[in-house]
Amino acid sequence: MSLEKKLKLSINEDADRFSELPEHMIHHILSFVSIKDVVRTRLLSKTWKSLSTSYKILLDLHYDHNSFAMELLLDTESAPEIDEIRDRFMDYADNHLLRVVQQQIPVLKLAVDVAVIGSEFFRVDQFMELVGKAKAEELSIFVQTRDFHWYYADEWDEWYDGGDIFEEGIFYEFPYSITLAKWLRSLTIRGCKVTSLASKNFISNNNASTYSSLRQLCLSRVLLFSEEALSNIASCCPGIEVIEFNCCNFLITTLKLSKFTKLKKASVVGQQEYLESVDITETNLESFHCSCVDLNCLISLAACRYMRVLELHHCYLSEPDLLKDLTTSFPLLEKAKLFDGIPYEGLDSITVANSDLRSLKLLFNRDIRVISVKCPNLRHFDCYIHGLEEVYLDCPKLRTCYYNSLSVPRLILLDLPTDIEYIVFSFSLHYKLDKSWFISIWKFLEQIVGCNTVYLHLYCLSPSTDVAEFGLDELEAVQAFKPKNVHLQVVIGYAGERRPISAAFVDALLWSTCPATLSIGGDCYNIVKYLCEKLAEKSRDGSCCDQQLCSKYWWHNVSDFKAKYKNEDMKQNLASLVELTKQSRRGLSNRISNIDRMPFRFKFDWHSVERFMAKLLVEMAGSNLNT
């Protein structure tokens, strides 16, 4: 037998030798593998599913004081005292977790929700020692105390006015010993306080070469007493790659994330009391999310070079010029959300040409005038920028596009796939309308007519009744008029006294958009009434549109239509449809579905230049035959 055949035979024979090992040896090997990976081995084969199932794992272990108290109250005839409930819960939790620790049972997710009466933390300290010995990969600790409700607005105002929560508040002091748990990968701390003294004592009492295996840390509703406390966390857990701060309370003004040398992902979400700024200038972050009103975000060009995900909500950026050209500033960017509340002077344009960018969402209230997006792999684009004048979109793989503004851009150039799932353009009309606005809408739609499906959403707040009579000749529509694959959605709002919708407004809207469908909602009695009246008399008048498209009346160009209220056909009962608009005014604010928000729907089948030409050719051919 050749050496090559012997080698192949040997490989085939040794392919699954691991499964032939005794079960206790396999379990011993699995004890060195992360719990998540052990669970994943169940998908390899039926043999592995049997082996991993016999290896006992607790996927989710939750000690919840509130749930225990509720069950206890339901099971007993006489309500026990609060102290008795607390003692019985701690006895149960101690005994149960002790068995888990003694049997060395791995736990994928361990959650501890403990309630403390007064400042008696002795039983909690004992229990936390057991928690630190458990073989848990993901740990969540929540200690409820009398003063934990500080983060609610009303109670926080009472604390702020009447005392110092850091000095007088009763909170459980987080035990640093838990961070050295051998198996721990993810830790969530909620409702506790982190002090520099406790961390300093812990570090001095432990071997400096002993480090935590922690990779992810989430601090929620936590009191951080000093910058040293944060530095000590970084010293205890040098391998942290993900860190989250959720509505914490600081006694420092600047949060420096460079202390965590291996940090890849950081998130600062919610109001961070007393904190003024977060500093990421000396980091190598791949993902950064900051959502905190009026928080200063200190950033540098060097800190952006590895950024793949960037989300900024309602915060201030120290270097706003970085947003002018996202391609240069963030070359590896894959997802970006830049939201409201960032008044950057001098930032009047945004250019994006990242090849890896998949999702882009922009929201600015002012200043931005030009936006250029040329991303070959962009899938989703959302834009909420008021006052944009020029829009350039060159995204051949775009799947969804949503654009919202108060005004129609003066220039828009689109290079989008024809099979895009949907395009939505939404405009809020809070000012007096004139002919120029409808002309701009018509020109705007002409630029995007190549796309398969376009949704045009208009929110009209008391449209002016003095829109002059609208003439089709102003749009040169005799030559350019053609049906567009536009789905028009109109919501009529009002502020104070109701004002009737003018016929000129409806005429101008239909002429400028020529929609395939029209959905109407809000205070829409007058607009539905006018539509129904004109559609009922849509027959053509030979005096104005005998052999051409009508240049006076849009309803003369409607060959057929459908009318519905929600899903009910109302074409043969237009008078009842008008009456239903009065009912739709009531309770509108409580409706959430789109069909309830815009329940009146029309579908139009328009005449077109092509149809008239075809009809004319048929008539000419018929006359020639007769001749």
Side-chain angles (χ1 to χ4, degrees):
M1 184 180 297
S2 66
L3 180 61
E4 183 179 357
K5 289 184 178 180
K6 288 182 179 180
L7 183 60
K8 287 183 179 180
L9 182 60
S10 176
I11 293 174
N12 291 333
E13 289 177 352
D14 295 343
D16 196 23
R17 288 289 181 91
F18 186 83
S19 300
E20 297 177 4
L21 292 173
E23 189 174 271
H24 70 278
M25 292 186 65
I26 294 178
H27 288 178
H28 180 69
I29 295 172
L30 291 177
S31 67
F32 294 97
V33 182
S34 69
I35 300 174
K36 281 187 178 180
D37 291 337
V38 173
V39 175
R40 289 170 181 158
T41 60
R42 297 178 181 181
L43 303 176
L44 296 177
S45 65
K46 291 182 179 180
T47 303
W48 270 102
K49 183 177 181 180
S50 175
L51 288 171
S52 59
T53 302
S54 63
Y55 181 66
K56 191 173 182 180
I57 295 175
L58 293 176
L59 297 179
D60 195 349
L61 183 57
H62 192 180
Y63 298 105
D64 186 357
H65 178 276
N66 296 331
S67 298
F68 182 88
M70 185 63 67
E71 293 180 5
L72 190 62
L73 292 172
L74 293 175
D75 292 341
T76 56
E77 296 181 358
S78 59
E81 298 292 332
I82 296 178
D83 291 344
E84 182 183 352
I85 295 176
R86 186 269 317 274
D87 292 338
R88 292 178 66 173
F89 169 74
M90 294 306 302
D91 290 341
Y92 157 75
D94 282 337
N95 294 331
H96 187 272
L97 186 58
L98 180 61
R99 290 196 299 269
V100 172
V101 171
Q102 289 176 341
Q103 297 176 25
Q104 296 186 345
I105 301 175
V107 182
L108 181 59
K109 296 180 180 180
L110 174 59
V112 178
D113 292 352
V114 182
V116 177
I117 303 172
S119 57
E120 301 173 4
F121 295 117
F122 176 71
R123 293 294 303 272
V124 179
D125 289 332
Q126 285 186 323
F127 185 67
M128 290 301 169
E129 290 183 9
L130 277 177
V131 170
K133 297 176 181 178
K135 297 176 64 174
E137 276 196 8
E138 300 177 17
L139 174 61
S140 174
I141 297 175
F142 176 26
V143 181
Q144 303 178 54
T145 60
R146 182 197 69 186
D147 296 324
F148 174 71
H149 59 251
W150 62 269
Y151 64 88
Y152 292 108
D154 294 339
E155 288 80 359
W156 169 248
D157 290 339
E158 293 176 9
W159 259 113
Y160 186 81
D161 294 335
D164 188 344
I165 193 171
F166 286 92
E167 295 294 334
E168 303 173 25
I170 298 176
F171 296 91
Y172 180 66
E173 189 167 315
F174 169 71
Y176 277 81
S177 57
I178 289 180
T179 62
L180 293 185
K182 178 182 176 182
W183 287 79
L184 193 60
R185 297 293 184 273
S186 174
L187 174 61
T188 299
I189 307 171
R190 186 180 182 208
C192 301
K193 64 180 180 181
V194 179
T195 64
S196 58
L197 179 61
S199 60
K200 187 175 182 180
N201 293 338
F202 173 76
I203 293 174
S204 62
N205 294 332
N206 285 273
N207 190 344
S209 62
T210 304
Y211 292 115
S212 169
S213 59
L214 194 65
R215 295 294 178 268
Q216 180 171 333
L217 176 63
C218 176
L219 304 178
S220 177
R221 319 290 185 183
V222 167
L223 277 72
L224 274 165
F225 274 69
S226 66
E227 187 173 349
E228 185 180 4
L230 195 65
S231 299
N232 290 338
I233 292 178
S235 299
C236 293
C237 313
I240 288 181
E241 298 176 353
V242 179
I243 192 165
E244 300 176 15
F245 298 90
N246 184 7
C247 297
C248 293
N249 204 316
F250 294 83
L251 269 184
I252 56 177
T253 57
T254 301
L255 175 62
K256 295 184 178 181
L257 297 182
S258 57
K259 302 177 186 297
F260 302 90
T261 56
K262 294 186 178 181
L263 197 62
K264 295 181 179 179
K265 181 178 180 181
S267 176
V268 183
V269 179
Q271 193 63 29
Q272 316 290 327
E273 295 295 339
Y274 297 120
L275 191 66
E276 296 179 0
S277 60
V278 55
D279 187 350
I280 63 170
T281 53
E282 299 178 5
T283 63
N284 294 318
L285 291 176
E286 296 178 4
S287 174
F288 180 61
H289 179 191
C290 184
S291 178
C292 185
V293 177
D294 296 333
L295 187 69
N296 291 311
C297 179
L298 307 180
I299 193 171
S300 64
L301 183 62
C304 303
R305 61 186 183 276
Y306 299 116
M307 197 81 70
R308 297 182 180 275
V309 178
L310 177 65
E311 298 186 28
L312 301 177
H313 298 235
H314 311 291
C315 55
Y316 297 93
L317 203 62
S318 62
E319 298 289 340
D321 287 345
L322 293 175
L323 301 182
K324 284 188 175 181
D325 187 349
L326 294 185
T327 311
T328 303
S329 305
F330 306 90
L332 302 180
L333 201 61
E334 297 176 0
K335 180 181 179 180
K337 289 184 179 181
L338 309 177
F339 267 50
D340 194 8
I342 317 177
Y344 299 142
E345 295 183 2
L347 183 62
D348 57 358
S349 65
I350 295 179
T351 300
V352 189
N354 302 62
S355 59
D356 295 326
L357 194 63
R358 298 296 189 274
S359 176
L360 177 63
K361 181 176 287 189
L362 304 173
L363 190 156
F364 294 92
N365 276 332
R366 53 187 176 181
D367 298 333
I368 308 297
R369 294 292 176 262
V370 180
I371 180 172
S372 175
V373 181
K374 299 181 180 181
C375 301
N377 295 303
L378 190 67
R379 298 294 193 275
H380 307 285
F381 175 65
D382 287 13
C383 181
Y384 304 75
I385 301 181
H386 302 324
L388 265 180
E389 297 177 358
E390 299 179 17
V391 179
Y392 304 91
L393 291 181
D394 183 0
C395 308
K397 294 184 180 180
L398 198 66
R399 304 311 305 153
T400 62
C401 176
Y402 189 92
Y403 178 93
N404 187 308
S405 182
L406 290 176
S407 59
V408 181
R410 177 177 55 82
L411 176 63
I412 180 167
L413 298 178
L414 303 181
D415 184 4
L416 306 178
T418 56
D419 62 341
I420 188 172
E421 294 176 6
Y422 68 83
I423 305 177
V424 180
F425 291 94
S426 180
F427 301 102
S428 299
L429 312 180
H430 298 275
Y431 51 88
K432 181 179 178 179
L433 301 179
D434 55 20
K435 296 177 183 179
S436 63
W437 187 88
F438 296 100
I439 293 174
S440 64
I441 276 288
W442 176 75
K443 293 179 178 180
F444 170 76
L445 293 177
E446 284 297 305
Q447 296 181 71
I448 61 175
V449 73
C451 300
N452 280 346
T453 303
V454 177
Y455 291 88
L456 179 61
H457 179 88
L458 303 178
Y459 178 76
C460 310
L461 184 60
S462 295
S464 175
T465 58
D466 57 358
V467 178
E469 185 177 350
F470 189 78
L472 184 59
D473 55 338
E474 296 184 47
L475 297 182
E476 301 178 355
V478 175
Q479 291 79 18
F481 179 82
K482 56 177 176 292
K484 303 175 179 63
N485 196 17
V486 173
H487 300 276
L488 181 61
Q489 301 172 337
V490 180
V491 177
I492 307 298
Y494 63 90
E497 183 180 356
R498 286 189 173 95
R499 303 176 64 186
I501 305 299
S502 68
F505 172 80
V506 181
D507 289 341
L509 192 60
L510 268 294
W511 273 127
S512 57
T513 59
C514 192
T517 64
L518 170 61
S519 302
I520 313 171
D523 192 20
C524 58
Y525 171 77
N526 289 284
I527 188 172
V528 173
K529 179 183 178 182
Y530 182 75
L531 278 169
C532 290
E533 289 174 354
K534 296 307 176 185
L535 289 173
E537 56 181 44
K538 68 177 182 62
S539 59
R540 300 175 60 77
D541 186 349
S543 63
C544 67
C545 46
D546 186 20
Q547 294 295 329
Q548 60 183 355
L549 291 176
C550 183
S551 59
K552 291 185 177 181
Y553 310 112
W554 59 266
W555 57 91
H556 285 180
N557 293 325
V558 178
S559 63
D560 198 4
F561 73 95
K562 294 180 181 179
K564 287 186 176 183
Y565 174 72
K566 297 184 178 180
N567 291 321
E568 182 180 355
D569 187 3
M570 302 294 291
K571 182 179 179 180
Q572 304 303 324
N573 201 358
L574 295 179
S576 297
L577 182 63
V578 175
E579 291 300 317
L580 286 171
T581 58
K582 298 179 180 179
Q583 302 176 14
S584 69
R585 293 179 178 179
R586 298 190 295 269
L588 186 64
S589 60
N590 296 325
R591 295 169 178 166
I592 56 176
S593 65
N594 192 55
I595 195 172
D596 282 335
R597 202 162 57 88
M598 292 177 287
F600 303 95
R601 295 181 292 160
F602 297 86
K603 183 177 181 181
F604 301 106
D605 187 6
W606 297 89
H607 290 299
S608 64
V609 174
E610 289 78 8
R611 287 188 178 184
F612 276 101
M613 291 298 298
K615 180 181 178 181
L616 182 62
L617 290 174
V618 170
E619 291 177 354
M620 292 175 60
S623 61
N624 290 335
L625 287 175
N626 292 332
T627 302

